[in-house]
Amino acid sequence: MSEFQRQHPVAALSRAFGLIRGNLVTIIVFLVFGAQSDSFSFWWWTVGGFAFLLIAGLANWWRFLYKVEDGLIHIKSGIFVRKNLYLTNDRIQVIDITAGVIQRIFGLVRLDIQTAAASSRAAAIEAITREKAETINRLLRRGKAESSEEDEQGIGEKPESEIKKTISLPNKELLIAASTSGSFGIALSVIGTVFSQVEPILSESHFYEYLYDHLPSQSDTTFYIALVIGFIILAWLLSFFGTLFNYGNFTLDVKEKEIVISRGVFEKKRITVPFNRIQAIHISEGIIRQPLGYASIHLESAGYGDDKGTGSIQFFPLIHRKRILPLLNDVLPEYQKELNALKPPSRSLRRYIFRSTVLVALVTGAAWWWLSLNLAIWILPLLAIFWGWLKYNDTALGWGDDMIILRSRNLAKSTAYIKKKRVQDVSVSQSPFQSYRNLCTVQIYVASGDRGKSFSVRDLQLEDGLSIMQQIKIEGSNTTIGQELEPALDRPIVQLPGWA
């Protein structure tokens, strides 16, 4: 692979469809509005647009060249502006091998190489054979000397490291994950956006009259309630099958130096994460999944990032709380920790309840007054008070010799494990209201994706925040407080993570 090579020609088609998928909502809006205009040559614009995308894809494919030599991948790309990208193996964080629908038709895969820099998104080879993808993965995982030796001897003579353990997602957990997926809200917003654009066409086509005749409704109110329920069911079905197809065939292969996460029914994706690139893990218990006793586990890797720059990797989509610690013990034993943790003092409770309730109470009061709503609407502030109490009750911060555990809640309860040596920065800050109560907010940053990720706990005792900062001992760690550490062990103590 020391000579420049070109991708499979299918990359042109894949590139064109990628542009369509990335701008799907814009294209739908454009076509819907255009179809309503008499001066808009609908079919000419549609055919011309797809032809343009295909030509752009072909030009991109022709100008894209890559080679791997001495532990380095060199990529040339760009139609008018020529771009040269060099990635060395010691900077590579994650290598993904994905087989989308188009690639699978032709027996190909897509290779994504991620580093800690945003520019690494350009290191994506759209369409190559699986054998070549595996070879590039192997060459980049090894040192320069080994890569040169392998090139001289021929490709593929050294076997991949052996799989020590394979863990699959049971069908029961997959169905529960699909049923309780958080993508339901996204699906509902997409349906709402599309419906708002096509609604004028539907109203002119007598669509509403047809539904009104066939739905079991006796009035306009019941008709619109039935329509909203229909949208919710449709959004749930989209979310359910989307999650099912996304995480079907999920397996976790544990090797000596890395883990390989494979998933997907139609679009098969494989993510390789070296153990030494993992920055933190966090466990999320959603408001629907928590009562059922289930959670999802995520990894933070410095190099992994999607188009939005996030760096989270779904390590395990759904697992019962009782199985989390045994799983960590099998796969990531250095994260298998249980620590004593400090909770915020009792005087913090009023702040948690105030923040959760004030906006809800104001909106509820205004709606009740101006819209003359039923008194039952005041159930919302009561639920907000309960939500504030939950947030206070779940907040805790614990640290040991080499590990920090933070637990907090927004809607979902999140428990983060961070190794002290992986902490990029830690800040302890006080607002004027916190200063009056001798409280503080602790925020810990780790490398993740393009922008990093932070985990925080609010309204801790000030001495506890200063103590964690001294424990981490990072040069340049910032604080807005000019106060020295004092031992503080008179706060309520809980056991984290508390799943046993």
Side-chain angles (χ1 to χ4, degrees):
M1 290 212 172
S2 58
E3 300 295 329
F4 276 110
Q5 300 186 34
R6 197 165 267 121
Q7 303 173 88
H8 192 280
V10 170
L13 196 61
S14 176
R15 175 75 174 171
F17 276 96
L19 289 171
I20 293 172
R21 187 172 58 180
N23 300 279
L24 187 60
V25 174
T26 305
I27 292 171
I28 290 174
V29 172
F30 177 73
L31 293 178
V32 168
F33 277 109
Q36 300 176 63
S37 172
D38 295 333
S39 61
F40 183 81
S41 303
F42 181 79
W43 290 110
W44 281 110
W45 277 100
T46 304
V47 173
F50 281 106
F52 173 78
L53 290 174
L54 194 56
I55 291 171
L58 280 169
N60 266 298
W61 166 75
W62 181 255
R63 298 283 285 171
F64 190 100
L65 297 169
Y66 69 93
K67 70 174 182 179
V68 181
E69 187 176 23
D70 294 337
L72 177 146
I73 183 167
H74 178 193
I75 295 176
K76 293 182 179 180
S77 62
I79 299 175
F80 299 110
V81 179
R82 202 66 170 152
K83 183 177 179 182
N84 286 276
L85 179 66
Y86 301 88
L87 297 178
T88 56
N89 57 359
D90 58 337
R91 299 296 181 191
I92 292 170
Q93 303 280 340
V94 177
I95 296 179
D96 291 352
I97 297 177
T98 309
V101 176
I102 295 175
Q103 285 96 343
R104 291 181 66 186
I105 292 174
F106 295 91
L108 304 170
V109 296
R110 171 190 163 101
L111 184 72
D112 286 289
I113 302 166
Q114 305 278 350
T115 70
S119 60
S120 65
R121 288 181 196 155
I125 303 175
E126 292 279 351
I128 57 174
T129 62
R130 180 171 289 278
E131 290 73 21
K132 280 190 177 181
E134 298 286 359
T135 300
I136 293 173
N137 184 13
R138 193 163 53 246
L139 291 174
L140 293 177
R141 292 285 176 209
R142 292 175 179 171
K144 295 180 181 180
E146 290 176 290
S147 299
S148 301
E149 184 182 347
E150 185 170 338
D151 274 349
E152 291 172 2
Q153 293 177 353
I155 295 169
E157 291 184 4
K158 295 184 179 180
E160 274 193 281
S161 60
E162 185 180 349
I163 297 174
K164 297 164 62 178
K165 189 178 183 66
T166 297
I167 303 170
S168 302
L169 179 67
N171 290 333
K172 176 187 171 185
E173 272 75 6
L174 177 61
L175 290 174
I176 295 174
S179 305
T180 58
S181 170
S183 58
F184 165 77
I186 299 173
L188 192 61
S189 63
V190 170
I191 290 174
T193 303
V194 173
F195 180 76
S196 66
Q197 299 302 325
V198 301
E199 192 275 340
I201 299 175
L202 295 178
S203 60
E204 291 179 3
S205 64
H206 307 289
F207 176 72
Y208 290 114
E209 286 81 357
Y210 176 82
L211 283 181
Y212 196 87
D213 292 338
H214 289 80
L215 285 175
S217 55
Q218 302 299 319
S219 65
D220 287 348
T221 303
T222 54
F223 169 74
Y224 284 112
I225 290 175
L227 202 60
V228 169
I229 293 174
F231 281 159
I232 292 174
I233 293 174
L234 180 59
W236 182 84
L237 287 173
L238 285 176
S239 169
F240 178 84
F241 286 107
T243 306
L244 209 62
F245 295 147
N246 200 20
Y247 291 105
N249 300 323
F250 181 93
T251 58
L252 189 68
D253 293 329
V254 184
K255 298 184 178 181
E256 183 180 356
K257 296 182 179 179
E258 60 195 19
I259 54 176
V260 181
I261 302 169
S262 305
R263 60 179 171 84
V265 176
F266 295 115
E267 185 182 46
K268 292 188 176 295
K269 191 166 188 176
R270 199 184 81 166
I271 305 172
T272 304
V273 187
F275 287 118
N276 60 0
R277 305 294 191 190
I278 296 173
Q279 306 297 309
I281 63 173
H282 65 103
I283 292 94
S284 177
E285 299 173 68
I287 54 175
I288 298 177
R289 293 174 176 178
Q290 188 181 356
L292 302 174
Y294 285 95
S296 56
I297 308 177
H298 307 260
L299 296 179
E300 300 298 334
S301 172
Y304 189 80
D306 55 17
D307 292 339
K308 296 178 182 177
T310 61
S312 294
I313 300 171
Q314 187 82 278
F315 174 67
F316 214 82
L318 194 76
I319 185 170
H320 198 278
R321 280 198 296 261
K322 292 181 179 178
R323 291 182 51 216
I324 294 176
L325 292 181
L327 176 69
L328 295 182
N329 193 36
D330 285 344
V331 183
L332 299 166
E334 66 272 27
Y335 283 91
Q336 215 277 353
K337 299 283 184 181
E338 292 183 281
L339 297 174
N340 288 331
L342 295 172
K343 286 182 59 63
S346 56
R347 63 179 182 278
S348 299
L349 176 59
R350 70 186 72 179
R351 292 182 50 76
Y352 278 90
I353 291 179
F354 178 80
R355 279 195 300 265
S356 303
T357 310
V358 60
L359 183 60
V360 177
L362 289 174
V363 172
T364 302
W368 177 75
W369 177 264
W370 293 106
L371 302 178
S372 302
L373 298 178
N374 191 287
L375 286 174
I377 193 69
W378 287 98
I379 191 72
L380 294 179
L382 295 178
L383 290 175
I385 291 173
F386 177 66
W387 179 38
W389 177 83
L390 274 181
K391 293 171 75 173
Y392 167 78
N393 192 53
D394 289 332
T395 299
L397 173 64
W399 64 90
D401 294 336
D402 61 344
M403 187 71 64
I404 305 166
I405 302 181
L406 298 91
R407 193 175 70 186
S408 60
R409 173 187 289 275
N410 285 318
L411 281 177
K413 185 167 79 172
S414 173
T415 306
Y417 287 78
I418 306 171
K419 285 186 177 179
K420 286 182 180 176
K421 64 181 181 182
R422 297 296 187 188
V423 174
Q424 300 293 315
D425 194 8
V426 56
S427 71
V428 178
S429 59
Q430 273 187 319
S431 69
F433 300 105
Q434 287 177 319
S435 179
Y436 176 72
R437 294 284 180 185
N438 198 36
L439 303 175
C440 68
T441 297
V442 176
Q443 195 161 18
I444 296 176
Y445 300 85
V446 296
S448 176
D450 299 340
R451 304 165 191 168
K453 191 176 181 70
S454 68
F455 301 92
S456 64
V457 289
R458 306 175 80 171
D459 297 328
L460 284 176
Q461 183 84 5
L462 174 61
E463 289 78 9
D464 299 336
L466 295 173
S467 181
I468 185 66
M469 175 174 280
Q470 190 183 65
Q471 288 283 329
I472 295 174
K473 294 179 180 176
I474 294 179
E475 286 188 22
S477 296
N478 57 77
T479 176
T480 60
I481 307 155
Q483 189 168 337
E484 297 298 327
L485 169 69
E486 293 180 5
L489 296 174
D490 57 343
R491 252 72 72 200
I493 294 177
V494 296
Q495 185 78 7
L496 288 183
W499 296 312

